[in-house]
Amino acid sequence: MKKVWMVLLAVLGLAGLALAQTTVRVGVLLPISTVAGKAALNGVQLGVDQVNAGGKVKIELVVVDDGNTPATAVPALTKLMTVDRVDIVIGGLASGVTFALSGPVKQYQPLFLCIGAASSVVEQAFSDYNRFFHYHPWDYHNVAAALEFFKYLYDSGARRVAILYEDGPFGSAGIQTYRQQLERQGYTVQAEPFKSGSGSFTAILTRLKGFRPDILYWIGYDVDALPIAAQARQVGLEPKLIYGAPPAWPTGFEKNKLSNDIAGMTAWLPSVANNESRRFVNLYRRKFGEVTDEYMAPMGYVIALSLGKALEAAGSTDKDRVAAELAKVQMDTPFGPLSFKPSDTGRTRYQGFNQSIWLQFQYLEGSRRPVFPPSRSARPLRFPGNY
Amino acid sequence: MELLLQTLINGILAAGIYALVASGLALAVGVVGIVNFAHGEFTMIGAFVAYLLFVSTGLDPFLSLGLAALVLFLVGAITYLGLIQPVLAAPELNQMLLTFGLSVALQNIALLVFGADTRVVSTSYQGATLSLGSLSFGVPPLLAFGLSVGILGALYGFLDRTRLGLAVRAVAQNRLAPGLLGIETQQVYLLAFGLSAALAGVAGVMLSVMLYASPTVGFAYTLKAFAIIVMAGLGNLRGVVPAAVILAMAEALVSTYVPGGGGWVEAVFFLVIFVALTWRSWRAA
């Protein structure tokens, strides 16, 4: 009889737990066929696993592909809103896509947890929308972080910067600002546009050779990384530093000898030494059998964890109550501390990270190593590099 | 002067790979009479064959050229038998829609299988250069150029000096008469389309070394190949090499000498087509 009572109590206890558990369906809208999108999705799933394992909140993901284009993203969001009827959406990786989503998001009014979209144009587009939580730094944060590095390079003797920028919105939008800021630091700048994916850089690089740049700074996409690295050598450009700013780097690039000494900027690397980062790396390796260099993975993880905290605190799936709790979240993350404040321009109410999360890395012996700022560097920057 | 010479070298070296991609397309247009919009996707398959062999066996992409050519010849032959042959008698618009659909399908299959990641191989010579005084020659484009010249030489030799090649040329010139003389037209078409795909595959292998492998790697080169065959005159294999040189030179000169010229590459491409077509109409008038 005693056993029967114990079993009954256990069943009632479990039933009580189940009743207390808050279950919510969350839409995930990412370009899942891209390196960054796939990494972001893995990160979100990892975070959701952790939240669900806590037992107080249960998140169910409804994943849709935004195709990395507005034409696919807008119908995908509409499906999440009208068919899947979710109230919370994690997504918005590319700026152009997120800008296109601003209208439909305002129409359907979800709680929108934005993972990327650094462009100030997006900040402007969501300026009157108070259910918009932007985790990623804005472009002016990115510029500030890069310029801090360029100041360091100037102090190390660099004087001339050749900028190669792709002539689409990604590369050309802030080029005048970059140029002015670098000139203000004392640099002489020559900037040249190029067609991303064309693979033909020898002519432009030959032209830049006459400028004798100390730094070759290229703003383009992953497809341009190897051709620029190879063709700079082929025309004998020989800068002191090749610095790239693509959204993602090519798969296998780190194993290519031409990547050695090339520098770039990222928000996170697996070698970042803080407890949350180490914990994330271990969890990621356990679940996916590998470690990623893509910072969108921990960004997705952080979003899922912070949402879990807010849901738990709200004790409800009501999006406004969740938003109110999310606004109060303070947590340690692989990037450092996270809390929401108004953006620097004051346009949006909830901005997560700023320029402090950016670090400069250099490809050294087959992997990316943090080299700047000195407080976060694992190795000294090789300057001049050997190209 | 040194800048001009280096620019000319850059243009000539780029022309090699342009000519190789365009020759395959010219073969399909000239012999089979079909505008193959999926030509760039055959190039992409060649790039992935080289990439997969590199990551699985460590095989240098240049050593996988023969295998890639064979694989793409088979892909071309299967495409011809399964898709092209049934529509040879259909209106040209239908044929174009078919190859355009094939292009979209192949790109999306590659996206499903490989994702959108850009993948690169790693060889010891990718950044290597040869110097002649103050002029420098990149080893990979030089290899690609030499290989293109060799392959195109072999192709021209095949067309000029073999009975099968003569049959191909005969079919290219007249679709009816060779059949009456006992030439198996369908087999010639099959051979020409397979060769066209094989040339695209070889070009793809070179692109895997010089650029990358990804589902979209062939797109830019298909556009250039179209410009080249329009300049050369549709189906005129002899005109492909000079047309490739003109396009590559024009791009190199504009990129080097026009401030901001790197962003004008597509304009050069359209201008060259425009001038070629206008000049041809003017001559014909």
Side-chain angles (χ1 to χ4, degrees), chain B residues 115-140:
Chain B
D117 303 6
T118 297
R119 294 155 193 270
V120 296
V121 299
S122 177
T123 69
S124 56
Y125 51 82
Q126 275 167 313
T129 55
L130 294 175
S131 297
L132 188 66
S134 58
L135 304 174
S136 61
F137 300 76
V139 168

Side-chain angles (χ1 to χ4, degrees), chain A residues 33 35 38 167 192-195 197 199-200 202-204 206-207 222-223 226-227 230 233-235 250-253 255-256 258, chain B residues 3 6 10 18 115-122 126-127 129 136 138 140-141 211-212 252 255-260 262-263 266:
Chain A
S33 63
V35 179
K38 204 161 49 186
D167 64 351
E192 297 282 343
F194 68 89
K195 289 281 173 207
S200 304
T202 47
I204 309 177
T206 301
R207 177 184 167 85
D222 52 355
V223 293
L226 183 64
R233 287 161 171 85
Q234 286 166 15
V235 304
T251 307
F253 188 61
K255 292 181 191 131
N256 193 303
L258 295 180
Chain B
L3 182 64
Q6 185 66 56
N10 294 340
Y18 286 8
D117 303 6
T118 297
R119 294 155 193 270
V120 296
V121 299
S122 177
Q126 275 167 313
T129 55
S136 61
L211 306 181
Y212 51 89
S255 294
T256 306
Y257 287 104
V258 178
E266 280 170 11

Side-chain angles (χ1 to χ4, degrees), chain A residues 41-50 280 283-284 287-288 301:
Chain A
L41 179 60
N42 284 351
V44 170
Q45 283 173 334
L46 198 61
V48 165
D49 287 352
Q50 199 171 318
F280 169 77
L283 288 170
Y284 196 95
K287 184 171 174 74
F288 299 106
Y301 174 74

Side-chain angles (χ1 to χ4, degrees), chain A residues 93-137:
Chain A
L93 202 150
S95 291
V97 171
T98 314
F99 178 73
L101 290 174
S102 60
V105 164
K106 287 175 192 171
Q107 180 187 346
Y108 292 109
Q109 299 276 312
L111 174 58
F112 192 66
L113 311 184
C114 187
I115 192 167
S119 173
S120 301
V121 177
V122 176
E123 187 188 20
Q124 178 73 46
F126 282 95
S127 59
D128 54 350
Y129 188 66
N130 286 335
R131 291 188 182 124
F132 178 72
F133 283 71
H134 190 251
Y135 287 72
H136 194 282

Side-chain angles (χ1 to χ4, degrees), chain A residues 55-123:
Chain A
K56 291 181 181 166
V57 172
K58 185 162 186 273
I59 298 175
E60 292 173 0
L61 296 178
V62 184
V63 180
V64 288
D65 190 353
D66 76 10
N68 217 19
T69 66
T72 309
V74 171
L77 177 78
T78 309
K79 178 204 168 259
L80 282 176
M81 298 291 101
T82 58
V83 178
D84 303 305
R85 296 191 171 277
V86 301
D87 276 336
I88 302 171
V89 175
I90 298 171
L93 202 150
S95 291
V97 171
T98 314
F99 178 73
L101 290 174
S102 60
V105 164
K106 287 175 192 171
Q107 180 187 346
Y108 292 109
Q109 299 276 312
L111 174 58
F112 192 66
L113 311 184
C114 187
I115 192 167
S119 173
S120 301
V121 177
V122 176
E123 187 188 20

